[in-house]
Amino acid sequence: MTDELKDRYDVVVIGGGAAGLNGALMLARARRSVAVVDAGEPRNAPAEGVHGLLGREGMPPSELLALGREEVRRYGGHVVSGAVGGAKRSEGGFTVSLEDGREVTARRILVTTGLVDRLPEIAGLRERWGKDVVHCPYCHGWEVRDEPIGVVATGPMSVHGALLFRQWTADLVFFTHDQPRPSDEEVEKLEARGVRIVDGAIERVETGPDGITGVRLASGELVERRVLTVASKMEARAGFLEDLGLVPVEHPSGMGVHLPADPMGRTAVEGVWAAGNVVDLSAQVGSVAAAGAMAGAQINMELVNEETAAAVEAHRAK
Ligand SMILES: Cc1cc2nc3c(=O)[nH]c(=O)nc-3n(C[C@H](O)[C@H](O)[C@H](O)COP(=O)(O)OP(=O)(O)OC[C@H]3O[C@@H](n4cnc5c(N)ncnc54)[C@H](O)[C@@H]3O)c2cc1C
């Protein structure tokens, strides 16, 4: 279901995941006209449930978002299917262009487009992403507890990831793949925790009817595993903001690229706000929803201040 996009809103929210919908919920309840334009590809779509979320533990991601859309609509907000291709300044705010040619103007924009997970080029890996190829112990650790898990190294933080996943299983293998061998200190930590280090490039992920069965190395050796963990390179979905002078930058953590914003969601460009994974690459559903709500409330306050200033001016002119 999609609502009809009007010509003008107080706020257009770009991206209808947990961040965008909670931002829109706050704005709609603040009696602002708001539209969420959503391309319908939330990051956790491949996962069977949202975990670590109080009150909605284990709910399928699509169900959670359907509830959120319904809640936004209950207060008069619009939720529109579509992909935003660009945005530019215009009279009184911004003009947002959709890829299908539609245009909408808004006094403020809230960008909640999330991120894309880039995975290493290993045959068979992408197909199992979000199922038995996982990245986050707090999202999936419980579900894969005690399984034979393999950590595919993708960067300097992979040893940390392995030591973390060790909390959920004692059967852990660390694949160096195309990364340098860990330092002596790191090797000591891994060995002390019973993590086996396997050197050499991975050729492909072997699967059977029940999912992953093992990891085939370039040497031909097969290492049996049921689950793989991999830290993706995270890329904020924000290329469409270029005309406004906003470009994603490298995150200080080295985890990927993000769109910087202050804790309230204010970006470097006045009137453009951002929240969720597009800003905070490591945020989970609960925290992106909170960030969206905060940005929504702050945008409302900014509009109240603008309207108050205009009213004072008009009042003085009487
Ligand atoms: C496999 C997997 C499992 C996960 N499991 C959990 C879990 O169990 N618990 C947990 O708390 N977190 C989990 N996460 C993290 C969770 O997915 C994110 O925290 C959350 O989705 C971020 O919400 P968001 O609103 O910032 O972005 P998203 O949920 O990604 O939503 C962004 C929305 O914006 C839309 N969009 C993007 N570009 C445009 C555009 N140009 N125009 C219009 N719309 C656009 C997208 O299509 C999408 O619908 C998991 C992540 C992954 C990858």
Side-chain angles (χ1 to χ4, degrees), residues 28-42:
R29 283 178 47 77
R31 314 185 74 183
R32 296 293 174 188
S33 60
V34 57
V36 180
V37 181
D38 183 38
E41 288 176 7

Side-chain angles (χ1 to χ4, degrees), residues 43 46 81 94 106 119 136 145 153 165 192 221-222 263 289 305 307 310:
R43 185 182 169 211
S81 300
F94 303 91
L119 299 181
C136 156
R145 66 194 182 281
F165 264 100
E221 186 191 344
L222 177 73
N305 290 342
E307 288 152 5

Side-chain angles (χ1 to χ4, degrees), residues 21-210:
L21 289 172
N22 220 342
L25 181 61
M26 291 296 268
L27 286 157
R29 283 178 47 77
R31 314 185 74 183
R32 296 293 174 188
S33 60
V34 57
V36 180
V37 181
D38 183 38
E41 288 176 7
R43 185 182 169 211
N44 55 352
E48 99 298 342
V50 179
H51 295 289
L53 186 64
L54 190 69
R56 300 291 184 191
E57 173 54 31
M59 177 175 271
S62 58
E63 247 176 71
L64 183 73
L65 295 182
L67 283 176
R69 289 193 289 271
E70 198 270 318
E71 286 165 351
V72 169
R73 288 182 171 126
R74 196 188 304 162
Y75 295 99
H78 289 174
V79 185
V80 177
S81 300
V84 169
K88 58 178 193 295
R89 278 210 176 276
S90 61
E91 178 77 35
F94 303 91
T95 298
V96 174
S97 310
L98 277 64
E99 282 175 0
D100 59 14
R102 285 178 289 173
E103 281 194 344
V104 54
T105 58
R107 295 166 70 190
R108 300 291 184 276
I109 309 177
L110 174 56
V111 180
T112 48
T113 40
L115 62 81
V116 175
D117 291 286
R118 302 269 177 230
L119 299 181
E121 294 287 329
I122 297 174
L125 195 73
R126 165 59 66 185
E127 291 84 335
R128 303 302 308 166
W129 175 242
K131 298 175 180 76
D132 39 20
V133 173
V134 300
H135 72 301
C136 156
Y138 301 103
C139 307
H140 312 276
W142 176 265
E143 284 63 39
V144 302
R145 66 194 182 281
D146 296 328
E147 292 279 10
I149 297 181
V151 178
V152 180
T154 53
M157 288 303 286
S158 294
V159 170
H160 166 75
L163 294 172
L164 208 50
F165 264 100
R166 175 64 182 77
Q167 171 65 15
W168 283 267
T169 187
D171 185 355
L172 204 59
V173 169
F174 185 88
F175 294 96
T176 57
H177 184 44
D178 60 0
Q179 296 296 308
R181 196 176 161 76
S183 68
D184 290 349
E185 196 187 328
E186 289 171 327
V187 169
E188 189 183 22
K189 283 183 186 169
L190 292 170
E191 286 180 352
R193 293 293 272 145
V195 181
R196 187 157 70 93
I197 302 172
V198 171
D199 289 312
I202 296 173
E203 189 165 283
R204 65 177 180 276
V205 176
E206 301 273 3
T207 52
D210 297 328

Side-chain angles (χ1 to χ4, degrees), residues 237-249:
R237 291 193 271 214
F240 62 94
L241 295 170
E242 221 171 22
D243 287 351
L244 288 170
L246 278 175
V247 280
V249 298

